[in-house]
Amino acid sequence: MTIPTTEALATAEAPKPTPTGRSVAARFASSFAMFRNGKSIAGLCILGFFVLVAIFGDLIAPYGPLEKDFTALRQAPSAAHLLGTTHMGEDVLSQLIYGTRGVLLVGFLAGIFATIIAVAIGVTAGYVSGFTSESLSALTNVFLVIPGLPLMIIVASQYDNPSLFLIAGVLALTGWAWGGRVLRAQTMSLRNRDFIQAAKANGESLFRIITVEMLPNLTAIIASSFVGTVTAAVLGLTTLAFIGVIPITNLNWGTILFWAQQNGAFPDFWWWYVPAGVCIALLGVALSLINFGIDEYVNPRLRSAGERARALRKRGIKPGASVTAVRTETTGPSTITDTTHTERAGATER
């Protein structure tokens, strides 16, 4: 009879990780896999820079946004004012830094509000059937065809000094329908899957099926919808500010362009309007890169093409370059080399 040792008993009694725990961790990790490619990382770095500027703007800005220096009116960039001054001697760099906070706040608030509405309506419309589904689908179609900019102008012009929350709410109200439409279509494709049917058979509640079973599989689409809504909200905010609908007290990049246009800065005083335009373009590029990265993750064809291109780069082959395939055969003492065809690197392997 063999007597087990103390080490063997300790090993046998040690709790083993359950498959459920591993699967939850794997699903949580896979939810952020969309941000691991180069496009998403580059976009997140640019966006992170603007977020830091918005958070620490009070410490970074050399002057107050409305602080005036009457000895430096419309002054070109200099050591005292790195991006020059306005017609009132206000520092353009400081206005840019303080304006970043309003742009990001409205953009992210509108993105959050619109995503919540899109998820609630889109997923519900895709999961249920009958009159409820058709009604929610019709509501989504109505908001898809509503002209967003005129509605934003009408609502914002009714208030003397609309708050950033009101502006974000109006932008969210006009920007959720596209995401809701996409989520409805994806949910309809998921509701007949085996794991959903198994959850129904087990008597799971509708709330748990949607939140636990469906939403993790919709993470990439929800993230893409959020990023797209933020992009549209930023452009909508700067447009409203540029045409003068939003009061000048709500400082952002659009109001900088508004005052530059009102005071004849185009085209001579380039330092007044070019930096604001560059910031809008950079933020748009960052959000677009993040969206492209998510798109590459969601679309299997784009994902496989990206993985294949990265594998070729690691091997020192430039994707898209012409490669001649050579077949070598050994027949007895002689060797025959046959050039068969020319293919494009990164194409499907034969």
Side-chain angles (χ1 to χ4, degrees):
M1 180 178 178
T2 304
I3 300 176
T5 62
T6 306
E7 297 171 355
L9 289 172
T11 305
E13 295 174 359
K16 297 180 180 180
T18 61
T20 304
R22 288 198 300 269
S23 63
V24 170
R27 289 171 67 181
F28 180 78
S30 65
S31 299
F32 295 92
M34 68 191 82
F35 301 115
R36 294 177 185 171
N37 54 59
K39 296 183 182 70
S40 294
I41 292 174
L44 287 172
C45 289
I46 300 174
L47 181 61
F49 169 77
F50 283 114
V51 170
L52 291 176
V53 170
I55 294 174
F56 300 104
D58 297 333
L59 302 176
I60 299 174
Y63 304 94
L66 301 179
E67 184 178 342
K68 298 174 176 57
D69 182 3
F70 293 106
T71 62
L73 304 180
R74 295 183 178 180
Q75 186 183 76
S78 62
H81 303 280
L82 297 180
L83 290 181
T85 61
T86 67
H87 68 298
M88 297 292 291
E90 298 159 341
D91 187 65
V92 175
L93 176 61
S94 300
Q95 291 190 346
L96 277 177
I97 292 173
Y98 278 96
T100 304
R101 185 174 300 169
V103 170
L104 293 185
L105 183 61
V106 170
F108 280 105
L109 283 176
I112 292 171
F113 295 157
T115 302
I116 292 174
I117 299 172
V119 169
I121 295 180
V123 175
T124 304
Y127 184 78
V128 301
S129 57
F131 177 77
T132 304
S133 177
E134 295 301 326
S135 300
L136 293 176
S137 178
L139 178 66
T140 305
N141 292 335
V142 168
F143 275 90
L144 275 174
V145 298
I146 289 178
L149 186 60
L151 180 62
M152 289 187 289
I153 294 175
I154 292 172
V155 175
S157 61
Q158 300 302 312
Y159 297 87
D160 295 331
N161 188 17
S163 65
L164 294 179
F165 286 95
L166 176 63
I167 297 171
V170 174
L171 293 170
L173 190 64
T174 58
W176 66 268
W178 179 85
R181 187 73 174 172
V182 175
L183 286 170
R184 177 180 180 270
Q186 188 65 19
T187 304
M188 291 178 68
S189 70
L190 287 175
R191 69 184 181 186
N192 293 322
R193 299 284 179 87
D194 292 340
F195 65 96
I196 298 296
Q197 297 301 321
K200 287 182 180 179
N202 288 335
E204 301 290 351
S205 64
L206 175 62
F207 178 78
R208 190 182 188 283
I209 291 175
I210 291 178
T211 56
V212 177
E213 301 294 340
M214 280 195 168
L215 287 185
N217 293 283
L218 298 172
T219 305
I221 297 177
I222 293 173
S224 179
S225 174
F226 172 78
V227 172
T229 306
V230 172
T231 305
V234 169
L235 294 177
L237 173 68
T238 52
T239 301
L240 290 174
F242 179 70
I243 63 179
V245 175
I246 296 178
I248 58 175
T249 53
N250 292 329
L251 183 64
N252 59 70
W253 299 336
T255 55
I256 296 175
L257 295 176
F258 169 79
W259 281 115
Q261 189 268 340
Q262 290 292 314
N263 290 278
F266 299 94
D268 297 331
F269 307 108
W270 59 267
W271 59 85
W272 195 347
Y273 58 88
V274 168
V278 170
C279 287
I280 295 172
L282 279 177
L283 184 57
V285 168
L287 295 171
S288 297
L289 286 173
I290 296 173
N291 211 2
F292 291 155
I294 296 172
D295 235 6
E296 184 177 309
Y297 174 81
V298 174
N299 192 326
R301 184 173 298 178
L302 292 176
R303 184 167 67 247
S304 61
E307 292 172 352
R308 189 161 53 246
R310 285 189 288 270
L312 288 171
R313 291 192 192 97
K314 289 181 180 178
R315 293 165 54 187
I317 302 174
K318 183 180 179 181
S322 298
V323 178
T324 302
V326 179
R327 185 179 72 238
T328 303
E329 297 179 356
T330 303
T331 307
S334 61
T335 301
I336 301 173
T337 302
D338 178 24
T339 303
T340 57
H341 58 273
T342 301
E343 61 181 356
R344 301 289 293 178
T348 305
E349 294 182 1
R350 291 177 173 82

